[in-house]
Every structure is written in structure tokens, then in C-alpha cells.
């Protein structure tokens, strides 16, 4: 029986199989944690904090996906597969998926609407992802 992640691979599908890479995992984790720390700085604009937190979440979720031996062909998929990569439920991935939509409106249509609640929810979801990333052991060597 194939896993849900395996069923999302193939031509035209959102994931591709690719052996885990410890250096890439470490870099994504380091980048995500640094951005998450910066996103919590109260002196920054809400837009800046949102951008940092969103990109922190993306880097950490991508690290988890890479740890499992997959690469994303689409940015949003790293959030939608959190139940498979980190065992996280809809209370986390739905917040991150909503923030992905908000981010896209800002990036592509100049309509970045962020309120205190959304930013707080994003920071909390990102913190949960960061805690789960810390629990992963180094990726296995495919050789």
C-alpha cells in the first residue's frame, strides 16, 4: 500500500520523490527558526512580521517534507501535507493555508490584509511546526 505522500507524486502532481539531504534540511530549519524569531519582534510592521512568519512556516514545512524524501512542485502543498509530515492537524495547516492565500493576494494583487488575529494565529501555528521539526531525527541516508 502506498502512502498519501507517494500518491501525490508523478507527472503533473504536486510532489516528487527526492532523497533527503541533511545539509538542505539543516539550512531550511535554520532559516525558518531565524525568521520565526525575527517575526516576533514587536517593533516591525505587521506586514513585515507576517512576511517573516509566513516564510518561516514555509521553510520549516518544506524541511519536514524534505526529511521524508519528497520535494514540492507547488508552494502550498507543504502546508497541506502536514498531517503526513509532522502529524499536525487542521488547526495548524488550515491557518497556514489561509496565510498562503493572504500572502498570494499581497504578492500578486497588492492586497495584503493582515490583522492582529491572523498574525497571532500564524505565529502560533509556526511555533507548533518549529517544535515538531525539533523532534525529527536527522534524515536517513538513502545509500
Amino acid at each position: 500500500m502506498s502512502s498519501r505522500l507517494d500518491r501525490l507524486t508523478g507527472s503533473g502532481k504536486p510532489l516528487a520523490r527526492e532523497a533527503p539531504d541533511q545539509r538542505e534540511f539543516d539550512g531550511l530549519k535554520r532559516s525558518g527558526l531565524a525568521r520565526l524569531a525575527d517575526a516576533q519582534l514587536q517593533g516591525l510592521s505587521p506586514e513585515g512580521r507576517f512576511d517573516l512568519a509566513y516564510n518561516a512556516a514555509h521553510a520549516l514545512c518544506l524541511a519536514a517534507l524534505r526529511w521524508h524524501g519528497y520535494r514540492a512542485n507547488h508552494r502550498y502543498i507543504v502546508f497541506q501535507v502536514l498531517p503526513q509530515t509532522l502529524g499536525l492537524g487542521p488547526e495548524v495547516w488550515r491557518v497556514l493555508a489561509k496565510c498562503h492565500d493572504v500572502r498570494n493576494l499581497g504578492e500578486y494583487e497588492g492586497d495584503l490584509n493582515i490583522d492582529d488575529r491572523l498574525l497571532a494565529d500564524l505565529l502560533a501555528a509556526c511555533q507548533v511546526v518549529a517544535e515538531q521539526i525539533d523532534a525529527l531525527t536527522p534524515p536517513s541516508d538513502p545509500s
Side-chain angles (χ1 to χ4, degrees):
M1 179 180 351
S2 65
S3 73
R4 179 163 187 256
L5 293 175
D6 280 337
R7 289 191 299 270
L8 294 171
T9 64
S11 179
K13 294 191 175 180
L15 296 180
R17 282 294 249 161
E18 186 174 316
D21 180 292
Q22 181 68 50
R23 202 167 120 181
E24 182 180 11
F25 175 83
D26 290 344
L28 288 165
K29 180 180 172 184
R30 184 174 44 256
S31 173
L33 294 176
R35 290 174 190 205
L36 177 58
D38 288 350
Q40 297 181 40
L41 297 173
Q42 295 293 322
L44 300 178
S45 70
E47 292 82 2
R49 295 179 67 203
F50 178 87
D51 191 53
L52 286 163
Y54 171 82
N55 283 304
H58 185 266
L60 294 170
C61 293
L62 181 56
L65 185 63
R66 293 293 298 122
W67 185 90
H68 284 277
Y70 297 89
R71 182 168 295 283
N73 293 325
H74 303 287
R75 191 173 179 88
Y76 69 88
I77 195 71
V78 300
F79 303 129
Q80 293 182 341
V81 295
L82 280 173
Q84 289 73 42
T85 58
L86 292 175
L88 296 174
E91 70 281 1
V92 173
W93 69 258
R94 284 187 179 153
V95 169
L96 298 177
K98 177 180 173 79
C99 289
H100 174 78
D101 293 341
V102 170
R103 174 252 183 204
N104 280 355
L105 281 173
E107 289 290 320
Y108 301 114
E109 298 179 26
D111 185 22
L112 187 59
N113 288 312
I114 301 163
D115 59 33
D116 291 342
R117 177 59 190 238
L118 182 63
L119 181 57
D121 289 349
L122 173 58
L123 288 168
C126 192
Q127 187 62 47
V128 169
V129 171
E131 290 166 8
Q132 292 300 309
I133 286 285
D134 271 342
L136 294 176
T137 57
S140 60
D141 186 349
S143 57

